Amino acid sequence: MALRYRNSILVLFISGLVLLASACGGEPEYVPKPKGYNRIDLPDHAYQSLEGKYPYQFEYSSHAIIRPDTFATAEPYWIFVYYPALKANLQLTYKSVDEDPKKFQELINDAYRLANKHNVKAEAIDEFIMKTKDGKTANLFTLQGEVPSQFQFYITDTTTHFFRGALYFKTATKNDSLAPVIDYIKKDAMHMLNTLKWK
């Protein structure tokens, strides 16, 4: 009886060792981590009036600062609306149409060319027409994919003023992670267009 008892304990002990060895010795099971995004805390929208001698006037974000465009090709009245906390620039360019239909068409073509030059990397380019509160018409371009500029627009009175904007980020963060920031700045751009006045 004692021998049978010892044999039972020995069998249980060996079975336990085999079970433990098979559990530890197998291939580890990998589980993919869920996709994560950087946490970005966005401030409430607040606006201030553009100061200075420009042929246009608008309200822009209180969380941004106005900087002159310092590129070699920059012209008078070209500025950046710079968001220091978000490392984002809304580049704004201005051209006088001079009541010249040919020049006006060239400016329109140039706006489409600048949006479409991202076709190589863009997954899609969506164009929208926006009517501002005082009846102006703005053309908006939303670019999807890993493109340098995710949002562009132009607005014109067709005879005197042509105003164009393009959003750029000074960061290597992927655009899907930047989506909340892009939407935040787009809302600011809509406010800018709705408060735009020509001088």
Side-chain angles (χ1 to χ4, degrees):
M1 183 80 169
L3 184 61
R4 191 184 298 170
Y5 179 72
R6 272 191 236 141
N7 286 343
S8 297
I9 290 178
L10 187 61
V11 168
L12 281 172
F13 180 71
I14 292 172
S15 298
L17 284 176
V18 169
L19 197 65
L20 189 62
S22 67
C24 294
E27 283 291 318
E29 203 174 301
Y30 294 104
V31 178
K33 290 171 88 174
K35 192 171 187 176
Y37 296 98
N38 298 333
R39 181 185 166 96
I40 302 171
D41 293 317
L42 298 169
D44 291 336
H45 292 279
Y47 301 103
Q48 59 192 330
S49 293
L50 177 69
E51 302 292 332
K53 295 182 179 178
Y54 300 100
Y56 48 80
Q57 176 69 41
F58 56 75
E59 291 181 2
Y60 67 99
S61 174
S62 298
H63 308 290
I65 55 177
I66 300 296
R67 289 183 168 173
D69 189 330
T70 54
F71 287 124
T73 56
E75 296 182 18
Y77 313 122
W78 289 21
I79 59 174
F80 288 110
V81 179
Y82 176 59
Y83 291 77
L86 304 176
K87 296 186 175 85
N89 266 319
L90 192 57
Q91 183 185 31
L92 303 175
T93 60
Y94 173 85
K95 296 257 192 183
S96 177
V97 179
D98 301 322
E99 297 186 8
D100 182 344
K102 185 180 176 189
K103 185 175 182 181
F104 171 69
Q105 192 56 54
E106 286 171 357
L107 291 169
I108 295 285
N109 294 344
D110 198 42
Y112 278 92
R113 181 185 59 78
L114 290 168
N116 288 324
K117 80 175 187 176
H118 299 289
N119 266 339
V120 176
K121 290 188 174 184
E123 294 168 7
I125 299 177
D126 299 317
E127 182 181 0
F128 302 94
I129 307 295
M130 170 190 164
K131 280 282 186 194
T132 67
K133 290 178 181 175
D134 63 355
K136 295 182 184 71
T137 301
N139 289 60
L140 316 173
F141 304 92
T142 300
L143 297 89
Q144 298 171 18
E146 293 308 312
V147 291
S149 177
Q150 304 81 5
F151 176 67
Q152 299 185 18
F153 63 83
Y154 73 85
I155 187 167
T156 179
D157 65 357
T158 73
T159 58
T160 309
H161 308 281
F162 192 91
F163 187 72
R164 184 179 170 277
L167 174 62
Y168 297 96
F169 286 91
K170 292 183 175 183
T171 177
T173 306
K174 298 274 189 187
N175 285 344
D176 56 355
S177 298
L178 289 172
V181 181
I182 295 167
D183 289 341
Y184 178 87
I185 296 175
K186 278 169 74 174
K187 185 171 182 182
D188 284 350
M190 300 299 143
H191 184 85
M192 178 189 298
L193 291 168
N194 272 313
T195 58
L196 178 69
K197 290 181 171 44
W198 308 121
K199 290 185 183 175

